Amino acid sequence: MSTPDPHPSKAPATASDLFRHGLRLLLDKDIDAWVGLWADGGVAEFPFAPDGWPRRLEGREAVAAYMRHYPDHIDLHDFPELRIHETTDARTVVVEMRGVGRLVRTDAPFDMTYIVVVTVEDGRFTSYRDYWNPLAVLEPGAGFAAGVR
């Protein structure tokens, strides 16, 4: 059984547009709608994930399980310094960005830099390679997905 798509006819037209839309949903803490942007067989990869954190999620359900408690741990406020680079493949973008906010449990600042390589087909994420900084999850309260495999 797959997660229902809450916005089936509202997928943005380009990979850049879909990525920007996804960031807005994360800021709105609408995880269900963000998961709805994924293809059923989409794959998320975290090449720099530390031990105990997943390195690969296969399918929308796995992405949903990984992100389910994200807003309970990280309160995102903004994505400053967003740079989306188009590639020679219109389906793929490379994104440089920062996510800033606070850790819910400790109220400590959250500030993470990312490089993300995203591929979109038929208006849905099919590949999402997230090169985030593993040192940031050493902060108390940041461990929303530790142990999820």
Side-chain angles (χ1 to χ4, degrees), residues 16-72:
S16 295
D17 291 342
L18 185 68
F19 192 85
R20 281 187 185 93
H21 179 63
L23 293 181
R24 170 61 20 218
L25 293 173
L26 290 174
L27 290 173
D28 290 345
K29 297 162 186 43
D30 192 345
I31 301 303
D32 289 340
W34 186 82
V35 169
L37 300 178
W38 283 76
D40 286 338
V43 174
E45 296 176 283
F46 310 99
F48 297 155
D51 289 342
W53 284 68
R55 297 227 168 142
R56 182 178 173 92
L57 304 171
E58 295 186 27
R60 186 188 293 176
E61 288 298 319
V63 171
Y66 177 79
M67 291 295 291
R68 183 168 291 120
H69 299 291
Y70 188 92
D72 299 332

Side-chain angles (χ1 to χ4, degrees), residues 57-142:
L57 304 171
E58 295 186 27
R60 186 188 293 176
E61 288 298 319
V63 171
Y66 177 79
M67 291 295 291
R68 183 168 291 120
H69 299 291
Y70 188 92
D72 299 332
H73 297 272
I74 299 172
D75 179 17
L76 286 171
H77 298 166
D78 195 10
F79 289 101
E81 303 172 32
L82 175 67
R83 289 183 214 106
I84 298 178
H85 305 279
E86 305 286 331
T87 69
T88 57
D89 180 347
R91 301 171 307 152
T92 301
V93 294
V94 177
V95 180
E96 299 175 84
M97 66 181 186
R98 258 177 71 221
V100 296
R102 70 179 182 88
L103 297 176
V104 173
R105 189 176 76 164
T106 64
D107 206 35
F110 176 80
D111 192 336
M112 174 86 77
T113 53
Y114 304 84
I115 294 177
V116 185
V117 180
V118 177
T119 301
V120 171
E121 293 181 25
D122 297 323
R124 299 285 179 251
F125 295 127
T126 57
S127 175
Y128 196 104
R129 287 184 312 279
D130 191 342
Y131 297 86
W132 53 270
N133 177 1
L135 297 176
V137 299
L138 299 178
E139 291 291 322

